[in-house]
Amino acid sequence: MRFNHILFLLFVSIFISCMNSSRTKDQSDGGQKEIGDKNLVVQNEVQIVTFIYHRFGDDRYPSTNIGTNNFQKQLEYLKTHDFKVISWSEALKELRKPGKSGRFVVITIDDAFKSFYQNGLPLLKKYGYPATLFINTETIGGDSYMSWGEIRESMKEGIEIGNHTHSHAFFLNLPEEERYKKFREEIRRSQKLIGENLDDYVPDVFAYPYGEFDEKMQKIVREEGMKAAMAQNSGVIDSGTDLYALPRFPMSSYYSDLSAFIEKANMRPLKIQTIYPSTHLMNNLKNPPTLTLEILKDNLQWSSLQCFVQGGKCVLSVSQDEEKVKLEIKGDKALDRRRTLYTVTVKDSDGSWHWFSHLWIMSEYN
Ligand SMILES: [Zn+2]
């Protein structure tokens, strides 16, 4: 080991609470995945930060709400700093342009709560920003949900509609033979209702309820004609991102103050070369699971590396060769929530932060 390698490891250990070099050997599920060649045929330098909102100015539900004032401040920030806010369909076009570069923001809203219509839409209209609204069709017109008329009105203001299933179920709680049948049926039912109620509109983008999915569900979404599907793990989209697992930054009370928003709006993608395991389901994995990532060194300043595990501490092991840095990440104790994110951030030599997160799901937890 060269002297600078030793220095490097020493430095990392200052930042990381605990070093652990033992590799978990029994992770047989969800094999290693090469990143960077999925779904898109072009490579370019387009970067898209996508935000997810649910409720607006409805503080009865703080975990899914953003205050109207906060939302206005965010839009004002985007406007005064010349961010290009585009619809998801425009974003997809940008991702498909060979050689294109540029940074964009996409606003998405899930579930079609009435508070979006009442408090969110007027602000989007004021700033002239488009957004994508993912609707679960069963509750449309119900208490605290938008009506079809309100959705039609929103579309006139530049709101795109996406499919969010019919019932918004926890599909992963169903046994596999039921899960995929019901999931496909619900996408179709939702498409049909949207077409019937919104002048033959045909959504081509999907959002997984609760951001939960497995590989077969990704395949079904694609087979049902969707060009992309949004998840809820945080991160930045670029031309290497899996179009059927698109990351979004949540913007609710807990994370939505202006400084957190500014940090996310300016975030860059952390480009992962390989990931192991690639699965999100913990069913056959040791708990806590170990996630192994290989990342090109590029101009990243590895002394700034940070690692987060929701509900616990990150145990990180770092090694490197000439080109790549290898990270082995795990929680300091067994994960005990339905959804847990492992997140890695690192700064580049220009001072910009890069972000990657991986979602673990334990479907036996409710
Ligand atoms: Zn939802």
Side-chain angles (χ1 to χ4, degrees):
M1 186 178 280
R2 294 209 313 257
F3 179 66
N4 61 353
H5 287 187
I6 294 168
L7 262 186
F8 169 81
L9 287 173
L10 200 65
F11 203 29
V12 163
S13 69
I14 296 166
F15 287 83
I16 307 306
S17 59
C18 179
M19 297 280 289
N20 183 339
S21 60
S22 70
R23 169 71 183 261
T24 307
K25 292 206 171 50
D26 57 351
Q27 293 185 328
S28 53
D29 193 16
Q32 178 166 307
K33 200 176 254 184
E34 297 283 336
I35 305 293
D37 58 351
K38 284 192 294 293
N39 307 315
L40 282 174
V41 286
V42 302
Q43 287 295 316
N44 62 30
E45 294 303 318
V46 169
Q47 301 182 4
I48 298 164
V49 171
T50 304
F51 293 108
I52 169 178
Y53 299 88
H54 286 86
R55 302 171 200 263
F56 298 75
D58 185 354
D59 52 20
R60 293 172 298 170
Y61 306 95
S63 67
T64 51
N65 179 55
I66 179 157
T68 314
N69 273 349
N70 261 3
F71 188 51
Q72 169 145 15
K73 280 185 206 158
Q74 295 179 352
L75 299 182
E76 184 67 26
Y77 174 81
L78 295 174
K79 187 63 95 187
T80 52
H81 291 80
D82 291 328
F83 277 80
K84 297 183 194 103
V85 182
I86 58 176
S87 66
W88 168 249
S89 55
E90 287 170 301
L92 189 57
K93 282 185 206 151
E94 295 295 335
L95 284 169
R96 287 176 164 155
K97 289 179 186 163
K100 172 90 195 223
S101 63
R103 295 168 56 219
F104 303 91
V105 167
V106 172
I107 294 170
T108 68
I109 302 107
D110 284 15
D111 302 353
F113 289 112
K114 202 176 265 293
S115 66
F116 166 63
Y117 177 75
Q118 290 168 330
N119 304 324
L121 184 64
L123 285 171
L124 287 177
K125 194 174 162 183
K126 179 179 167 189
Y127 285 88
Y129 286 153
T132 304
L133 177 68
F134 290 99
I135 60 176
N136 33 304
T137 41
E138 188 173 53
T139 44
I140 297 300
D143 272 359
S144 71
Y145 289 90
M146 290 167 75
S147 66
W148 287 112
E150 288 164 347
I151 294 171
R152 275 196 296 275
E153 218 180 296
S154 309
M155 291 169 75
K156 290 189 190 125
E157 308 294 345
I159 304 300
E160 285 184 340
I161 303 303
N163 187 320
H164 198 33
T165 74
H166 184 63
S167 73
H168 204 288
F170 282 105
F171 289 93
L172 294 177
N173 287 12
L174 301 171
E176 289 193 6
E177 66 276 15
E178 255 182 78
R179 180 189 306 165
Y180 304 123
K181 188 166 172 283
K182 182 173 161 68
F183 185 64
R184 191 187 296 276
E185 278 171 5
E186 286 217 10
I187 293 173
R188 288 183 183 177
R189 188 167 179 189
S190 205
Q191 288 294 90
K192 186 163 176 285
L193 284 168
I194 289 169
E196 285 169 4
N197 288 283
L198 302 177
D199 306 321
D200 297 324
Y201 189 85
V202 183
D204 61 5
V205 60
F206 180 83
Y208 302 101
Y210 310 103
E212 294 187 357
F213 58 94
D214 64 18
E215 280 191 21
K216 184 98 184 271
M217 288 165 71
Q218 289 182 287
K219 193 163 163 271
I220 290 169
V221 168
R222 184 199 291 247
E223 286 166 358
E224 293 304 314
M226 299 295 153
K227 290 182 181 151
M230 305 244 163
Q232 286 191 29
N233 53 305
S234 43
V236 182
I237 299 165
D238 69 8
S239 66
T241 308
D242 184 344
L243 279 177
Y244 293 86
L246 294 167
R248 299 184 284 176
F249 286 108
M251 274 299 137
S252 56
S253 297
Y254 298 141
Y255 307 104
S256 64
D257 67 52
L258 189 61
S259 62
F261 178 82
I262 291 171
E263 181 191 62
K264 306 293 167 31
N266 290 288
M267 194 58 69
R268 308 301 177 96
L270 183 56
K271 296 178 190 236
I272 306 297
Q273 290 294 297
T274 60
I275 179 167
Y276 176 87
S278 58
T279 183
H280 300 281
L281 292 187
M282 290 233 337
N283 303 0
N284 300 316
L285 303 182
K286 209 175 188 181
N287 191 0
T290 299
L291 182 71
T292 303
L293 303 174
E294 287 186 322
I295 303 165
L296 282 184
K297 283 182 175 170
D298 284 337
N299 65 339
L300 298 171
Q301 296 188 322
W302 291 96
S303 59
S304 67
L305 180 68
Q306 298 186 71
C307 167
F308 306 94
V309 169
Q310 278 181 314
K313 289 194 177 112
C314 177
V315 178
L316 178 66
S317 161
V318 184
S319 56
Q320 64 172 333
D321 62 22
E322 294 298 317
E323 282 186 342
K324 283 177 294 192
V325 169
K326 182 163 121 181
L327 308 178
E328 290 178 310
I329 305 160
K330 71 171 181 175
D332 64 333
K333 58 182 196 296
L335 309 186
D336 59 358
R337 325 151 42 117
R338 185 178 174 96
R339 294 184 291 275
T340 302
L341 286 179
Y342 282 9
T343 300
V344 181
T345 61
V346 61
K347 203 156 62 168
D348 65 27
S349 53
D350 301 327
S352 299
W353 284 93
H354 296 245
W355 180 296
F356 174 81
S357 75
H358 184 81
L359 174 68
W360 300 108
I361 305 166
M362 286 191 285
S363 54
E364 63 272 26
Y365 280 75
N366 283 312

